[in-house]
């Protein structure tokens, strides 16, 4: 029952030797990368019954921001360039230490250009935001005393 | 609904992301239309709500985890329809946001360089003329189901949909390496791609395999996915296929293969995607200073897909139950099911074998012990004799969850 499902297909087979390979120049530090083309791309390539067509797409743009709260301005200035705010907003409830470690990782490992003096404010924002998780019903009962806007205030 | 979830749903969705739903309906987040536009991933402690989006090129309805760079999860019901995941529902996962959105197939080149006799620059047409292989294989994110870890861990908060199964068509990596001529002393093969970090000096994404693994004849470079070219978001025009191994190695938009005479000591191999070198990659929550190794082979898993969490059904003495299973780095030998929390197990019937690296359909009939809330489970045993454990593992990366999963239903 563990028969391999792969096998050489019967069509489009040519000997390895028949392949003309273009040698590229002397070894460089890193090969030149294909630049995106601005004009409408050419149709593509075909061989052996398979076609690869040039492709051009538009990716949705994220104009999302971190919701209002103390230091929202600081986090919005520092934490939206590499990835959506949702990367942080979908995280579970994390401790102050865990948030501090994440902000450090962004600076040290991923080279986020965050000035050191902004780090405490960002970590404080995240800790406060994350501390609200899992208290939904409690918040509802307390009559929307939070500094975050209530769900119904948030529209398109 | 938790108000934080509402906020989050808003923050992750934004206006034009709800393609197909319409701008005005963003207001529906606070209203009764909610269930149609949000998925509830039921992650312990939340936040669990995610928008459903149709706004991504080449993609149908997907669970939106992150817009930029895209993280899109496949809804679980897709896996009930076929063992092969349609290209437009296949999950999407990128690390860095500099993703080329326009690719010219006529000028694209794949380089093979480094510790080789002949440096190569291969066009897509040349690639199409090489001997072909086709293989069914599951592509599963290392952190699939991370959102279910307890205690919770940071990272992309997936439920079970960071996986998919496709028929991959392409060429053997071994054939390319042989064309270039591996020099004696080669140790590692590193794979680089077109996507780039947003800031200078940040670690460019790349992964590597040991030379023997790279030459094993199973690892391939795919240009076809379920009979079509790859969607751009799944790595057009070519990606690496590493059957039986986690998706982190399946480098998308592959344009660079570098043979190294030593190990790969760059960030994404040396620091990221490492798991405890313990059985099942399991450590006690909070544990530190344990030996860690790069994540590698997948392990058996199975899911119930015919019924969903908290679904209400009419009580019957026995009910049909179905789903999918994978053996990890081996085939699926059997799947057993239980309706009493794992005390009694019943054998399922396996669907057609699409190859050992594929998903396999299973179907069973299981007696219901009583009316009310019932815990349904499925348990896969691989052809290499590994059975899914009952107990979840824990590690700080949220990698390799593979325990028996439970689906609760209400038999009314």
């Amino acid at each position: 029952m563990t028969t391999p499902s792969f096998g050489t297909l019967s069509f489009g087979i040519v000997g390895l030797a028949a392949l003309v390979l273009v040698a590229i120049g002397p070894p460089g530090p890193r090969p030149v990368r294909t630049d995106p083309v601005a004009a409408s791309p050419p149709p593509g390539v075909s061989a052996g019954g398979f076609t690869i067509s040039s492709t051009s797409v538009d990716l949705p743009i994220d104009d999302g921001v971190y919701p209002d709260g103390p230091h929202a301005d600081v986090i919005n200035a520092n934490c939206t360039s590499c990835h959506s705010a949702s990367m942080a907003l979908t995280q579970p409830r994390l401790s102050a230490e865990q948030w501090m470690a994440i902000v450090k990782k962004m600076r040290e490992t991923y080279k986020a250009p965050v000035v050191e003096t902004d780090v405490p404010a960002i970590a404080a924002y995240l800790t406060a935001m994350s501390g609200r998780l899992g208290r939904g019903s409690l918040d509802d009962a307390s009559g929307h005393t939070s500094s975050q806007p209530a769900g119904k205030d948030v529209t398109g | 609904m938790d108000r934080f979830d509402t906020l989050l749903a808003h923050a992750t969705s934004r206006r034009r992301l709800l393609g197909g739903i319409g701008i005005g309906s963003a207001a529906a987040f606070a209203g009764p239309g909610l269930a149609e536009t949000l998925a509830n991933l039921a992650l312990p402690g939340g936040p669990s709500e995610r928008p459903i989006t149709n706004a991504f090129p080449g993609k149908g309805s997907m669970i939106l985890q992150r817009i930029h760079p895209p993280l899109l999860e496949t809804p679980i019901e897709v896996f009930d329809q076929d063992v092969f995941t349609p290209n437009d529902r296949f999950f999407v996962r990128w690390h860095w946001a500099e993703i080329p959105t326009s690719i010219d197939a006529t000028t694209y080149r794949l380089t093979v360089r480094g510790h080789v006799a002949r440096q190569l620059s291969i066009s897509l047409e040349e690639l199409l003329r090489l001997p072909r292989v086709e293989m069914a294989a599951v592509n599963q994110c290392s952190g699939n189901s991370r959102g279910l870890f307890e205690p919770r861990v940071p990272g992309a908060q997936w439920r079970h949909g960071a996986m998919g199964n496709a028929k991959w068509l392409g060429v053997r990596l071994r054939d390319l390496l042989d064309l270039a001529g591996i020099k004696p002393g080669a140790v590692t093969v590193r794979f680089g791609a077109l996507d780039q970090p947003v800031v200078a000096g940040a670690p460019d994404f790349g992964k590597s395999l040991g030379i023997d693994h790279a030459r094993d004849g199973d690892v391939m470079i795919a240009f076809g996915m379920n009979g079509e070219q790859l969607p751009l978001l799944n790595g057009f025009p070519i990606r690496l296929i590493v059957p039986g191994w986690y998706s982190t190695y399946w480098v998308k938009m592959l344009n660079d293969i570098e043979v190294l005479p030593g190990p790969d000591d760059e960030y994404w191999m040396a620091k990221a995607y490492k798991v405890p070198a313990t059985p099942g990659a399991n450590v006690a929550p909070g544990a530190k200073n344990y030996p860690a190794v790069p994540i590698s082979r997948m392990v058996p898993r199975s899911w119930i897909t015919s019924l969903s969490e908290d679904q209400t059904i009419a009580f019957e003495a026995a009910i049909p139950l179905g789903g999918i299973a994978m053996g990890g780095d081996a085939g699926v030998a059997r799947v057993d099911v239980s309706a009493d929390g794992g005390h009694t197990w019943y054998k399922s019937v396996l669907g057609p074998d699409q190859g050992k690296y594929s998903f396999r359909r299973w179907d069973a009939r299981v007696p219901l012990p009583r009316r009310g809330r019932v815990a349904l489970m499925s348990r896969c045993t691989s052809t290499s004799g590994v059975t899914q454990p009952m107990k979840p593992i824990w590690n700080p990366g949220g990698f390799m969850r593979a325990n028996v999963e439970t689906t609760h239903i209400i038999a009314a």
Side-chain angles (χ1 to χ4, degrees):
Chain A
M1 70 185 298
T2 57
T3 2
S5 69
F6 56 95
T8 305
L9 300 190
S10 56
F11 64 91
I13 297 171
V14 293
L16 280 176
L19 184 79
V20 184
L21 291 164
V22 187
I24 61 175
R30 194 84 182 154
V32 179
R33 291 169 187 280
T34 314
D35 269 331
V37 278
S40 68
V45 298
S46 284
F50 197 92
T51 300
I52 304 178
S53 305
S54 297
T55 295
S56 199
V57 301
D58 283 322
L59 293 181
I61 294 161
D62 191 8
D63 50 7
V65 294
Y66 289 85
D68 276 351
H71 312 301
D73 52 336
V74 186
I75 194 164
N76 276 313
N78 282 292
C79 305
T80 53
S81 58
C82 292
H83 52 71
S84 301
S86 71
M87 182 83 260
L89 295 172
T90 51
Q91 296 305 310
R93 183 176 194 153
L94 299 173
S95 67
E97 291 78 22
Q98 284 174 302
W99 280 118
M100 188 56 96
I102 287 174
V103 177
K104 268 200 170 142
K105 178 177 167 188
M106 296 306 132
R107 289 183 79 230
E108 287 162 20
T109 304
Y110 297 137
K111 310 296 174 203
V114 178
V115 292
E116 188 142 23
T117 45
D118 279 348
V119 170
I122 295 169
Y125 173 95
L126 291 163
T127 308
M129 174 213 53
S130 161
R132 314 190 61 76
L133 275 175
R135 289 174 36 210
S137 50
L138 213 143
D139 276 0
D140 287 344
S142 68
H144 305 299
T145 53
S146 80
S147 58
Q148 288 181 341
K152 65 177 162 54
D153 297 334
V154 182
T155 54
Chain B
M1 183 177 82
D2 187 307
R3 279 192 296 117
F4 181 81
D5 277 0
T6 314
L7 262 177
L8 170 65
H10 175 71
T12 46
S13 72
R14 310 305 297 178
R15 287 138 220 154
R16 57 203 118 101
L17 282 174
L18 298 168
I21 295 164
I23 289 169
S25 68
F29 284 137
L34 218 53
E36 288 157 32
T37 60
L38 293 180
N40 185 343
L41 301 183
L43 308 181
S48 296
E49 309 273 355
R50 304 285 188 277
I52 298 286
T53 178
N54 287 290
F56 286 81
K59 295 288 148 182
S61 276
M62 299 293 285
I63 298 166
L64 180 62
Q65 292 278 7
R66 188 178 72 193
I67 297 166
H68 180 77
L71 292 182
L72 306 176
E73 176 165 352
T74 304
I76 194 81
E77 61 269 18
V78 172
F79 301 112
D80 198 47
Q81 290 153 21
D82 194 347
V83 288
F84 292 108
T85 317
N87 292 1
D88 67 350
R89 310 301 295 280
F90 212 94
F91 86 103
V92 171
R93 199 262 181 269
W94 294 84
H95 296 83
W96 287 113
E98 288 297 319
I99 305 167
T101 52
S102 201
I103 290 181
D104 182 344
T106 64
T107 58
Y108 197 90
R109 285 284 186 285
L110 170 62
T111 304
V112 185
R113 65 189 176 106
H115 207 65
V116 292
R118 288 169 297 280
Q119 184 158 297
L120 309 176
S121 170
I122 300 163
S123 70
L124 292 179
E125 192 175 343
E126 288 164 335
L127 205 68
L128 286 176
R129 293 186 189 285
L130 284 172
R132 286 186 193 167
V133 287
E134 189 174 47
M135 185 189 308
V138 172
N139 176 21
Q140 180 186 210
C141 182
S142 311
N144 192 23
S145 319
R146 179 184 288 121
L148 297 173
F149 268 63
E150 289 183 272
R152 297 283 299 276
V153 293
Q157 300 299 319
W158 309 104
R159 196 171 164 87
H160 299 307
M163 61 173 188
N165 183 40
K167 279 183 199 144
W168 307 98
L169 177 66
V171 304
R172 287 189 188 90
L173 176 61
R174 182 177 64 201
D175 290 348
L176 280 193
L177 294 175
D178 287 354
L179 279 171
I182 307 270
K183 282 192 191 159
V187 174
T188 311
V189 184
R190 178 158 61 204
F191 306 91
L194 280 185
D195 53 317
Q196 290 287 289
V198 177
V199 295
D204 186 12
F205 187 75
K207 295 296 288 188
S208 53
L209 299 174
I211 188 78
D212 291 341
H213 186 187
R215 295 194 71 259
D216 74 356
D218 266 4
V219 179
M220 60 186 278
I221 295 163
F223 44 77
M225 176 174 175
N226 293 324
E228 292 165 12
Q229 67 182 33
L230 276 60
L232 185 126
L233 288 175
N234 293 109
F236 179 83
I238 49 175
R239 80 179 297 174
L240 196 70
I241 305 300
V242 189
W245 282 45
Y246 284 97
S247 183
T248 181
Y249 294 97
W250 298 41
V251 174
K252 302 179 291 298
M253 283 188 191
L254 177 70
N255 74 337
D256 185 39
I257 298 176
E258 184 184 8
V259 180
L260 303 172
D264 176 358
D265 53 10
E266 290 189 359
Y267 174 74
W268 296 100
M269 278 308 292
K271 299 255 166 61
Y273 287 105
K274 295 190 85 174
V275 294
T278 55
N282 186 29
V283 291
K288 293 200 172 78
N289 301 323
Y290 48 79
V293 291
I295 195 167
S296 59
R297 294 184 158 80
M298 298 195 288
V299 289
R301 295 194 74 178
S302 63
W303 296 266
I304 292 166
T305 57
S306 63
L307 293 170
S308 54
E309 183 71 12
D310 287 332
Q311 188 173 336
T312 299
I313 61 161
F315 177 83
E316 282 177 78
I319 58 163
L321 200 58
I324 53 165
M326 58 182 276
D329 64 347
V332 173
R334 60 185 291 159
V335 176
D336 300 307
V337 295
S338 169
D340 60 1
H343 295 291
T344 322
W345 292 94
Y346 300 88
K347 227 182 143 175
S348 75
V349 177
L350 297 182
D353 183 0
Q354 305 282 359
K356 68 174 180 174
Y357 297 119
S358 173
F359 279 147
R360 188 125 187 218
R361 176 78 196 184
W362 57 265
D363 281 283
R365 279 191 78 76
V366 51
L368 288 186
R370 57 168 185 281
R371 284 177 198 274
R373 196 170 152 90
V374 177
L376 301 171
M377 295 173 172
S378 63
R379 185 181 68 185
C380 174
T381 300
S382 73
T383 52
S384 53
V386 182
T387 299
Q388 288 185 263
M390 288 297 284
K391 254 187 76 160
I393 55 149
W394 192 91
N395 57 61
F399 297 131
M400 293 183 73
R401 180 178 169 100
N403 55 280
V404 168
E405 304 288 352
T406 304
T407 301
H408 297 97
I409 57 154
I410 293 110

